[in-house]
Amino acid sequence: MLRYFTAGESHGEALVAFLSGIPAGLEIDQAFLDRELWRRQQGYGRGGRMKIETDSAHIFSGVRHGKTIGSPISIEIANKDWNNWQEALPIGAGDEAKHKRVASPRPGHADLAGALKYNFPEARYVLERASARESAARVAIGAVAKLFLRELGIEVLSHVITVGTVSVGNVIGWDRIRALHQKDEVLLNCADAETELRMKEEVDKVLRTGDSLGGVFEVVGHNVPPGLGTYAQWDERLDALLAAAVMSLQAVKAVEIGSGVAAAFAAGSTVHDEIEYAAQSGFTAFSRAHNNAGGIEGGISNGEEIRVRGYLKPISTLRRPLQSVDFSTREPVKAAYERSDVCVVPAAGVAAEAMVALTLARCALEKFGGDSMTETIRNFQGYCQQLKNY
Ligand SMILES: Cc1cc2nc3c(=O)[nH]c(=O)nc-3n(C[C@H](O)[C@H](O)[C@H](O)COP(=O)(O)O)c2cc1C
């Protein structure tokens, strides 16, 4: 069973992630982990913090001589800004005058609900944990999940569909998505260059006005075999697991599988993916004319590409702040402002890749899992043969 947790505050000493259940014998590519962390830090519209920090995954346990050993993996990502925050967020009592209070809750953040829930007089501790900085820890363990999936031939990547009011029109094929990820400069991670420039103009507009933007990303799981997840129980359905995994990311307010939203407004004859049978091309000789189902029917992967979209609300911290109330005086004030991103759709897509990879890895391990990679791959290959013989 694949299990994982994260810990750490946004301006604390470090983020930490734990990943338990990866079989022994998986080769760990440190450069790949660090590139994934780098990808989460990219995108036009990010704030100053991304410029001062370059994340790196420091593996503490579960990996020896370059390979997993079946023990829990723990990873630390240092917060390079900790030097500037030691007095504001000490473990001990410290000097109260040096604490950085968040005096007024910011609409759209956990600030008010968290302060009420945990009985804090202000929102500092709330935002420290509710912040999407936490998603870096998920990207680190998601990278391990991707390395595991790669051994089964499965890849997971994302691209951006919408920023503000600008959207890319057509379905973007896998080859274009893969090409996008070879680039060493990330603008808005949109596969269509002309649309990407229009997305950039949207970001420029909010940079000028002190506003912020949301958007839509799509995560694609490529070469996923039919048979992951099941309809047998509600909490084992692959669509439900993916929806929860992606929805758990900060600022994601809706998740769509395939063309689920448009499907609700269309006739069945135009939505459901008709089935054909020809020469073997993928796992079986069954194929589909299109993939409106996003690769999942009845809670089970059906052998087509998994396509999951996440809808992000606009960033909640505004340079031109919204109305709020001072925690102490209860007087109306403008919401607190802290250095902030204005658009994070590409980065959220990278974090969602991690969540999709962890979910697919969990389902793959439930189906094929062994204690070692040798055992797992043998089980996987046996299943692939069964599909071929079907
Ligand atoms: C990668 C990423 C980076 C983010 N950076 C910021 C940021 O710099 N400032 C901000 O106000 N919100 C940022 N957000 C969004 C907030 O984390 C989000 O609005 C907040 O958690 C409240 O949303 P929730 O109700 O979904 O948790 C970011 C989100 C993601 C996914």
Side-chain angles (χ1 to χ4, degrees), residues 98-266:
K98 293 186 171 152
H99 298 181
K100 293 188 181 165
R101 293 178 75 251
V102 177
S104 52
R106 298 158 307 162
H109 275 293
D111 297 2
L112 180 58
L116 292 171
K117 175 178 169 67
Y118 290 99
N119 198 26
F120 296 141
E122 48 94 16
R124 168 55 59 197
Y125 304 143
V126 177
L127 76 85
E128 285 297 326
R129 183 62 189 158
S131 155
R133 173 78 186 135
E134 182 269 346
S135 62
R138 304 200 217 182
V139 169
I141 49 175
V144 177
K146 283 187 174 191
L147 290 174
F148 166 75
L149 291 171
R150 208 188 263 177
E151 294 296 313
L152 310 185
I154 301 170
E155 287 177 84
V156 179
L157 288 173
S158 69
H159 65 115
V160 169
I161 303 258
T162 302
V163 169
T165 60
V166 177
S167 294
V168 65
N170 304 324
V171 174
I172 305 291
W174 177 251
D175 289 344
R176 289 179 72 192
I177 297 171
R178 192 157 30 199
L180 201 53
H181 290 85
Q182 267 127 34
K183 285 166 66 172
D184 284 326
E185 267 178 47
V186 180
L187 192 59
L188 286 152
N189 204 33
C190 177
D192 183 82
E194 187 269 327
T195 309
E196 191 172 50
L197 285 179
R198 286 196 290 121
M199 289 175 172
K200 179 178 176 290
E201 284 166 17
E202 289 277 287
V203 179
D204 284 332
K205 220 183 294 168
V206 293
L207 281 170
R208 276 197 303 276
T209 57
D211 216 319
S212 67
L213 281 176
V216 183
F217 58 78
E218 182 174 65
V219 181
V220 181
H222 182 73
N223 213 26
V224 177
L228 299 190
T230 173
Y231 48 75
Q233 286 295 350
W234 66 271
D235 59 350
E236 295 174 57
R237 293 180 61 104
L238 182 58
D239 46 6
L241 294 170
L242 288 171
V246 174
M247 183 67 104
S248 74
L249 285 165
Q250 298 84 354
V252 173
K253 292 298 128 202
V255 180
E256 179 182 20
I257 310 276
S259 50
V261 173
F265 304 99

Side-chain angles (χ1 to χ4, degrees), residues 30-47:
Q30 175 77 49
F32 178 71
L33 266 61
D34 289 343
R35 180 161 166 98
E36 290 293 283
L37 289 170
W38 172 85
R39 288 180 59 227
R40 196 201 69 93
Q41 296 190 290
Q42 303 310 299
Y44 190 68
R46 305 305 302 277

Side-chain angles (χ1 to χ4, degrees), residues 40 108-109 130 132 250-251 253 313 315-317 340-341 344 347-348:
R40 196 201 69 93
H109 275 293
Q250 298 84 354
K253 292 298 128 202
K313 68 182 177 185
I315 291 291
S316 312
T317 307
S340 176
D341 303 322
V344 295

Side-chain angles (χ1 to χ4, degrees), residues 2 27 29 73 110 141 165 203 248 286 293 303 306 324 330 375:
L2 195 70
E27 218 165 286
D29 176 351
I73 297 167
I141 49 175
T165 60
V203 179
S248 74
F286 294 99
I306 303 284
S324 183
R330 313 289 155 114
E375 189 181 3

